[in-house]
Structures are given as C-alpha cells and as structure tokens.
Amino acid sequence: MESKEILRGFTFLRKLMIANSNLTRLSTAFPSEMQFLEVENVLAKCLLESNRKLCLDFVKKINVTDTKLRSLPKDAFSNLRTLRWLDLRNNTLGEINITAFDIPALKHIYLAGNPLRCTEDVAWILDSSEGSAASKVVDKDKLLCATPYDGRPLVPIVEIIATLKKECKKTVCDCELIYVVGAGKLTQRQLIAFTSVNCSHRGLMEMPNFLPADTTTLRLSGNKIKDLTPLTTNPAYKSVRDLYIDDNLVESIARLEGSDWLDRFRLLNLRGNKLTDVSWPMSKLSDVTREDNLFRMTDVGMRKNCSELISCGTLPTYALENALLHNNNVAGLYLGNNSWACDCHFTPSFQDLLIRHSNIIKDINDIRCAFTSDSDNSNKQIRDLTRTEICISPDEDSWLHPLDILNIVLASLIFLVLGKLLYDYWSFKKTGKLPWIVAKIP
C-alpha cells in the first residue's frame, strides 16, 4: 500500500482503520507533509476512492486489523510524532522491526493474533524498562508463537531461548531449542523444554563439565572422548536422554553399571568406538539368580557357572541386559563398527542379548567380530555365529578328538563283552560246559 498516494487529498480525517482487507504490506512510511487530527475508521477501499486532503501531524490512533499484512517498514510511523495508539491485531506479521515503534508519544501497542516467529530476534519483548518497545505492548500475555512452537506463549518461549543463548556461550557447542511442551498462559518454569546441544567435531578429550539447562539431546560425535563417567556423576547430564558419542575412543561402558542414567536414557549411539566387550564389575551379583548365572555350551560338552566368572571380576552383558529390560523409554541403541571380541567367554551372552533386543539395537548388521588375520570369525556378524564357531578354535577343530577316541574304545569293549556273553551261552547249550572263567570260580 502506497500510503502517500492513498491518503492524498483527505482533509481533517479524525480516525483511520484498515480492516478486513487483503492488504499485505505497507511499502512506504506515512507521509510527513500531511496532517491528521486523528486517524479514523475508514476501510482501505474507501481510502482508494476518496479525494480529500489530510494532514498527519496530529494523528493519535491507527488501527490495521484483520488483514493479510505481513511486514512493516521500519519507518512506517516515524512521521507520526503524536501517535499514541497502534492496533495491529490479527494480521499475518511474522517479524516486527521495533524501530517502527520508536515514537516517543506512542503508549499503547496491540499485537495479538499475529503468527510471530519466536527467535532470539524477539528478545526485545523481554525489555520491561520504561520507554522500551516491550513496555508499550499491552497484550504481551496474549502473544503466541508460530511454528515450530505453534500455540505456545511467546514471552516464556523467548525467555527460554534467551537463557539458552546465554548459557550456550559458556560452552564450545551449538545449542537449539527443539520443542516445548505446554500451552496457554504458562510461565517459563511451567513449560517443559527440549534442547539439543551439538558438540561434535570439537576435538574434545572429555565430556563437557557444563551443559545448558534442559539439555535432552547431546551430540559428541567425532571427538576423542574415552570416559563416560560424567553421565553418572555430573548433575548437568540429568536431563540428557539422547546421547550421540559415536566415532570417539570409548573403550568401556562399565562406569554406567547401576546408574540412573542407564535406566532412563532413550537413545545411545556408541558406533565407531574402541569397545571390545561390555563386561561389567560384579557389584550386583545379589540381583542375579543362580539360574541366570548358568549358561551352557552344548557344542563342546561343557558348562560354566557364574561362580567361575567371579574370579575374573566380570559378568558379561548383565547390566546392559538389565537396563534394556527395565527402561521403558529406550528407543535405540547403536553398537556397530566396534572391534568386538569373539570368544567363548563373552560372545555367547552378547549374541543372546543382540537377538533378544534386535528391535532396539538398530545397527545389528554392523556388529561384527574384530578384524584379525588369524581368526576364521574375522569381520563376521556376531548375530549369525554358531556356538561351534565361537567356542572351538581352528586347532581344536579336527575330525577326531581324544574324547571321541575314548568313546570308540569304550563302545568296542561293550560289543566285545556282549559278543563273549552270547558265545558262552551258545557253547553251554551245545556242550553243557560252563565258560572257563565260571569253572575257575570256587
């Protein structure tokens, strides 16, 4: 709308209202050479047809409501030195340049009903100092955000974003407010925020000591982190649910055993680390039944009880198994591209865990035995290995074992005894003589 051209010729209009029209933008500021007494209710269509002169020096009130107005020039009202009341409700304003409100006489601004984008650029709404643009907005409590926080109260959301930006500066990471739960007239404390913090490829040697409040997703991919202890000891990680720590140097997850974090995480990505097994300290043996302790390896004719493993100080996969069974929130676990050990001590129970939780372990096809030149299982999928492949080494895998030889000898002796018995019976029937050994018995 070219305000200068439309308003040319109006004389002594008292009020101006542009409402229920298809107006999309004001291309220029209201002209300074015109002088309003007060801008009155005149529809845009009427403005186009009128032919009266008018002055803008004395305008006090402007209403532009229920239109398709998308933007305002930063100097839209700069020539209206006496403007006191500005109603911009129910338009399609996504962003507002507060320079447009830099009018000393302006006291009342109405903005409700606009799809405002809640970003850090709207932080001006938090400035409540006297004379600020925010202090002039009468209906702040009615302002709502557009996508992605659609329908959420604007002021609390902007408070969260401003706090996040301030806290993020204390880290070397990038921070983003992903989602907010809660609607209506709620305060910042009553909203539940979900924040993503990206610290990937920062050359970190350890997990950050500080995280912004409400960090639910933490990305630490491509660093040089070895230790996961902060997950269990640092309160900053209390709200972290999704952890991406792939392509690091993690060698063990034993520190997570028995932790609250392991019982409430949603996603854990450990791809491409230095893991070889998931053995755990035996601190919770009392939680395991004797029946759970026993596993059998029938292919080699032997049994091992957990009591044998205690001397080694580990119980393979138990704590991880326990967490997956009791954590109702878990949605994904990634363990691929690690150099997993494939031996008779660790692999059978680990393989059982993979099969039982294949719906949770998302990269099961990438969980393979470590690549070694002297092993037949090198780079094979652990899920598909047989017990014989796992527990019998190539040196032992001959067609004849010592136990087989013993069994053959025993079977031969049994047949020899049975044959001698049948012969003695036949000889007694025919000749009436007792077997030689019976005749010698006194």
Side-chain angles (χ1 to χ4, degrees), residues 72-344:
L72 288 172
K74 63 181 180 179
D75 59 349
F77 311 108
S78 59
N79 296 322
L80 308 181
R81 297 189 297 272
T82 58
L83 181 64
R84 296 180 58 85
W85 188 292
L86 180 59
D87 191 344
L88 296 173
R89 285 178 288 187
N90 301 318
N91 293 292
T92 58
L93 294 170
E95 295 180 352
I96 296 176
N97 190 328
I98 60 170
T99 306
F101 302 149
D102 191 14
I103 304 169
L106 185 58
K107 300 298 181 184
H108 305 283
I109 302 173
Y110 293 86
L111 296 173
N114 286 286
L116 299 171
R117 286 190 284 274
C118 291
T119 66
E120 60 184 79
D121 294 334
V122 196
W124 60 266
I125 199 71
L126 305 178
D127 182 7
S128 58
S129 61
E130 185 177 356
S132 66
S135 67
K136 301 174 183 180
V137 179
V138 179
D139 53 356
K140 283 191 289 188
D141 61 331
K142 296 180 181 178
L143 302 183
L144 301 177
C145 294
T147 306
Y149 318 116
D150 195 16
R152 308 297 188 268
L154 181 140
V155 174
I157 294 294
V158 176
E159 287 177 342
I160 293 173
I161 293 174
T163 301
L164 176 60
K165 181 181 179 181
K166 181 179 179 181
E167 293 182 344
C168 196
K169 290 180 179 179
K170 300 178 182 179
T171 72
V172 295
C173 311
D174 297 324
C175 308
E176 181 183 3
L177 180 62
I178 300 297
Y179 190 71
V180 177
V181 175
K185 296 181 179 180
L186 300 177
T187 66
Q188 178 183 355
R189 290 176 176 267
Q190 293 170 319
L191 294 171
I192 302 175
F194 294 82
T195 300
S196 175
V197 176
N198 189 351
C199 306
S200 299
H201 306 287
R202 299 297 201 278
L204 299 178
M205 304 294 291
E206 57 185 22
M207 299 179 74
N209 290 325
F210 173 82
L211 292 175
D214 302 315
T215 298
T216 53
T217 299
L218 178 59
R219 299 180 181 273
L220 294 169
S221 306
N223 287 293
K224 301 176 182 179
I225 298 171
K226 295 182 179 181
D227 187 15
L228 301 181
T229 301
L231 288 174
T232 65
T233 59
N234 191 335
Y237 290 85
K238 183 177 181 180
S239 60
V240 174
R241 294 294 180 270
D242 300 345
L243 177 61
Y244 297 83
I245 195 165
D246 46 307
D247 298 321
N248 277 271
L249 303 176
V250 178
E251 297 179 350
S252 173
I253 54 177
R255 293 285 186 178
L256 301 182
E257 189 236 350
S259 67
D260 292 336
W261 190 88
L262 198 63
D263 291 334
R264 63 173 182 265
F265 82 94
R266 196 185 76 91
L267 183 145
L268 177 58
N269 188 341
L270 287 164
R271 288 176 59 87
N273 278 278
K274 302 296 182 181
L275 294 172
T276 58
D277 61 44
V278 286
S279 299
W280 303 79
M282 285 293 299
S283 61
K284 286 195 172 183
L285 183 60
S286 60
D287 295 337
V288 189
T289 65
R290 182 176 179 82
E291 183 178 356
D292 290 333
N293 291 342
L294 189 63
F295 67 92
R296 301 176 180 179
M297 290 174 278
T298 56
D299 288 338
V300 293
M302 64 183 298
R303 295 182 181 181
K304 284 190 177 181
N305 191 278
C306 191
S307 59
E308 297 178 42
L309 299 179
I310 296 176
S311 61
C312 302
T314 61
L315 178 62
T317 71
Y318 162 67
L320 189 57
E321 171 78 26
N322 189 54
L324 295 180
L325 289 175
H326 294 91
N327 185 346
N328 296 323
N329 300 318
V330 62
L333 178 62
Y334 296 83
L335 298 171
N337 295 347
N338 284 282
S339 299
W340 294 106
C342 286
D343 55 45
C344 207

